[in-house]
Amino acid sequence: MKTIKTTSLRRNRLLFTLILSTLFTFSSCGDGKKLEKAEQLAATFFKKLKDDKKEEINKIYPDIKLLPSIYLSDSAKVITSYIENDTISVVMNNYYTNGFGKINEREIVLYFVPQDNDELKLFDSNGLTSYDDDSQFKFTKNTGCLSSSDTTDLRIARAIEKSNDFYMDQCITLLKELRALIYVDRWSWERGYGGSASGQGVVFNKSSFDIPKIKYEITYLNRSGDVVTTDNGYISYDPVESMKAQSFTFYTSYVGNATEARINLNFDEELILDYISNKEWRGNEWENWIKANPTNKVKS
């Protein structure tokens, strides 16, 4: 019967443990230097942000220009840092006092990746900007153009940029619908004292929306068809209700030798953007739009 030599086994185990310990020490030492370097670079970045050194900020974080805005900083400190899949994350607490004396504190993460020259590149962030009030962000998210992995500042910014053509397409479609279904049903004008003009009309809303702040634009022309002057104003500040009519009056102080006038309706741009953004989407509209527009150039 063969017996196991326990002395030899203990020696092998000790040697194996020593090798693992050495490898771990080497690895930890290298990672420790990377983390220290990343924390220093993060601190430098926030110092430049505090001092408003735009060129130096852009040098540290080249793609920061893609962000819609950036939170200001009075001071920042490192909470923690760690390495995962070659990405170094530095978590910072940022402090800023606004004009009313209120201190705003928020957590911001900076993401670094090692370069071939042993330098670190700041390639993304989380919490350095906000998309809460961005209408197109809501649209991008609700139509499926923003994936579940698009959670960092730059990934969101690139997804929003990717949705530009789709977003504009939806806005133009809605604008065409409004112009077709909301129109001046009848109107008239006449010249007044001192070269002025006045008139009245009725706007009819056949759309399914209650539309506020509808504006009119009147163009006055002479006998040759040349534009003399233009004027504009609101049909009503209150919404013109769906399937309802709204009367309006207008006055133009001087129209010169105008003999003809034309009228157009304009709709508030923010109204259109807000409606498109807050509409109840199913979440597959982006995918369907891409299929229907295969020649559309989309930035990945």
Side-chain angles (χ1 to χ4, degrees), residues 5 17 49 63 68 79 84 98 100 122 140 165 170 172 180 195 198 202 204 216 223 245 254 279 283:
K5 296 181 179 180
T17 302
L49 190 60
D63 289 332
I79 301 175
E84 185 176 4
N98 64 23
F100 299 100
L122 175 51
T140 304
D165 289 347
Q170 296 301 305
I172 291 170
S198 61
V202 175
F204 194 69
Y216 66 81
R223 293 185 183 278
Y254 185 73
K279 180 180 174 181

Side-chain angles (χ1 to χ4, degrees), residues 251-275:
Y251 172 82
T252 306
S253 60
Y254 185 73
V255 297
N257 61 345
T259 58
E260 182 185 353
R262 298 171 185 168
I263 190 167
N264 289 307
L265 297 181
N266 292 318
F267 304 95
D268 184 64
E269 182 178 311
E270 289 300 321
L271 171 77
I272 293 173
L273 297 180
D274 286 343
Y275 174 78

Side-chain angles (χ1 to χ4, degrees), residues 229-247:
T229 188
T230 60
D231 195 10
N232 61 72
Y234 286 98
I235 300 296
S236 172
Y237 287 100
D238 296 325
V240 178
E241 296 179 14
S242 173
M243 304 307 295
K244 296 288 182 67
Q246 174 69 52
S247 61

Side-chain angles (χ1 to χ4, degrees), residues 3-246:
T3 60
I4 299 175
K5 296 181 179 180
T6 56
T7 303
S8 176
L9 181 60
R10 289 194 191 98
R11 187 184 302 113
N12 290 340
R13 283 179 177 174
L14 181 61
L15 179 61
F16 182 67
T17 302
L18 182 62
I19 292 172
L20 282 180
S21 176
T22 304
L23 289 174
F24 180 75
T25 301
F26 287 157
S27 175
S28 298
C29 181
D31 287 353
K33 288 182 179 180
K34 290 178 182 178
L35 290 173
E36 183 180 358
K37 192 170 186 177
E39 289 180 7
Q40 291 174 349
L41 189 54
T44 299
F45 172 80
F46 277 96
K47 179 64 168 59
K48 300 302 180 184
L49 190 60
K50 175 186 176 182
D51 296 337
D52 196 26
K53 301 289 187 180
K54 292 184 175 61
E55 289 187 9
E56 296 178 50
I57 290 170
N58 292 336
K59 186 176 180 181
I60 297 173
Y61 192 176
D63 289 332
I64 196 172
K65 58 184 177 293
L66 300 178
L67 303 183
S69 61
I70 306 165
Y71 283 111
L72 300 178
S73 178
D74 288 331
S75 64
K77 66 179 182 180
V78 177
I79 301 175
T80 187
S81 60
Y82 56 91
I83 299 177
E84 185 176 4
N85 298 328
D86 292 328
T87 296
I88 305 171
S89 302
V90 181
V91 185
M92 308 286 292
N93 250 3
N94 182 56
Y95 303 89
Y96 177 71
T97 304
N98 64 23
F100 299 100
K102 180 181 179 181
I103 299 176
N104 296 293
E105 178 184 353
R106 62 185 297 109
E107 188 175 287
I108 297 173
V109 186
L110 301 182
Y111 300 106
F112 298 88
V113 64
Q115 302 295 285
D116 292 337
N117 57 2
D118 291 332
E119 295 297 319
L120 296 179
K121 177 184 177 181
L122 175 51
F123 73 95
D124 205 345
S125 57
N126 197 331
L128 188 60
T129 188
S130 174
Y131 294 97
D132 292 344
D133 299 322
D134 191 311
S135 295
Q136 191 171 344
F137 165 70
K138 296 177 185 177
F139 172 83
T140 304
K141 179 180 179 181
N142 294 335
T143 58
C145 186
L146 187 74
S147 71
S148 58
S149 61
D150 294 330
T151 58
T152 62
D153 295 335
L154 282 177
R155 288 182 71 91
I156 293 173
R158 291 187 175 107
I160 291 174
E161 182 182 16
K162 184 173 65 174
S163 74
N164 279 340
D165 289 347
F166 181 36
Y167 189 51
M168 288 299 102
D169 180 67
Q170 296 301 305
C171 289
I172 291 170
T173 298
L174 176 58
L175 182 58
K176 288 179 178 178
E177 180 183 346
L178 294 180
R179 285 178 173 169
L181 298 176
I182 304 172
Y183 53 89
V184 179
D185 188 45
R186 56 187 182 275
W187 76 294
S188 62
W189 71 284
E190 59 183 9
R191 298 178 62 89
Y193 178 77
S196 65
S198 61
Q200 57 188 357
V202 175
V203 166
F204 194 69
N205 179 8
K206 276 191 173 182
S207 77
S208 58
F209 310 105
D210 296 342
I211 307 295
K213 297 182 180 179
I214 301 176
K215 292 187 74 173
Y216 66 81
E217 182 178 61
I218 302 176
T219 302
Y220 295 93
L221 306 99
N222 60 23
R223 293 185 183 278
S224 301
D226 300 321
V227 175
V228 176
T229 188
T230 60
D231 195 10
N232 61 72
Y234 286 98
I235 300 296
S236 172
Y237 287 100
D238 296 325
V240 178
E241 296 179 14
S242 173
M243 304 307 295
K244 296 288 182 67
Q246 174 69 52

